[in-house]
């Protein structure tokens, strides 16, 4: 998915209410993509109409040397809709996420073990030109171990 300028909004419909605390954004991991800074904000809603900002617009460094991925962490919140708003990209005039993951808070774990996640909802964007009309499809899946 590529936006047509800024601001660019991506609305993710979770299908039901989940407790979330992180949005992971991944760009193309290819080394041909130069490092870049993108400014991103996150909003949540339970009804799809009234949104609350949970992560204000902040500049994030994407670097292909480290996988071109970032995490936006915020206080745990109940959400049925997540709106990710891109407002700047230092390397191009558009936003172009490849994968976004909506993550729950880390659960307490037994002593000596790493914290576990209950779920992650991953969205992978697939470009389509079905019937000559540019569009995109979001492939949604729940994954046990998030990693863009």
């Amino acid at each position: 998915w590529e936006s047509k300028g800024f601001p660019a909004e991506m609305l993710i419909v979770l299908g039901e209410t989940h407790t979330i605390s992180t949005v992971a954004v991944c760009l193309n991991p290819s080394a041909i993509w130069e490092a870049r800074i993108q400014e991103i904000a996150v909003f949540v809603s339970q009804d799809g109409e009234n949104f609350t900002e949970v992560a204000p617009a902040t500049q994030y460094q994407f670097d292909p040397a480290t996988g071109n991925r970032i995490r936006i962490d915020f206080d745990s919140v109940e959400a049925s809709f997540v709106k990710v708003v891109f407002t700047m990209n230092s390397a191009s005039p558009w936003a172009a996420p490849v994968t976004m993951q909506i993550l729950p808070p880390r659960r307490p774990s037994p002593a000596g073990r790493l914290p576990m996640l209950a779920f992650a909802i991953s969205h992978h964007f697939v470009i389509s030109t079905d019937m000559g009309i540019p569009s995109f499809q979001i492939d949604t899946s729940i994954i046990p171990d998030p990693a863009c």
Side-chain angles (χ1 to χ4, degrees):
W1 175 81
E2 290 183 350
S3 69
K4 293 183 178 182
F6 296 105
E9 295 184 359
M10 177 66 62
L11 179 63
I12 301 163
V13 179
L14 301 179
E16 59 187 65
T17 300
H18 294 279
T19 302
I20 64 170
S21 65
T22 300
V23 172
V25 179
C26 304
L27 306 181
N28 185 329
S30 174
I32 63 170
W33 277 43
E34 64 191 83
R36 64 197 58 217
I37 295 171
Q38 291 196 51
E39 189 171 81
I40 306 168
V42 178
F43 299 81
V44 299
S45 173
Q46 289 194 5
D47 63 10
E49 294 181 21
N50 300 297
F51 284 84
T52 301
E53 182 179 68
V54 294
T58 302
Q59 292 186 356
Y60 297 92
Q61 176 73 44
F62 289 88
D63 189 339
T66 57
N68 259 345
R69 60 183 173 226
I70 57 101
R71 289 174 56 104
I72 302 170
D73 296 311
F74 44 87
D75 291 337
S76 296
V77 63
E78 297 288 314
S80 298
F81 301 85
V82 179
K83 186 186 303 184
V84 181
V85 180
F86 297 82
T87 52
M88 184 274 287
N89 182 339
S90 65
S92 67
W94 56 78
V98 171
T99 302
M100 275 196 247
Q101 295 177 340
I102 311 303
L103 307 174
R106 292 191 177 268
R107 295 185 297 163
S109 61
R113 294 194 177 178
L114 295 174
M116 301 181 313
L117 291 169
F119 71 93
I121 299 173
S122 181
H123 299 277
H124 181 76
F125 309 104
V126 180
I127 301 301
S128 170
T129 55
D130 193 25
M131 298 186 343
I133 302 170
S135 63
F136 69 92
Q137 163 190 346
I138 299 178
D139 174 26
T140 305
S141 56
I142 305 241
I143 55 175
D145 184 20
C148 289

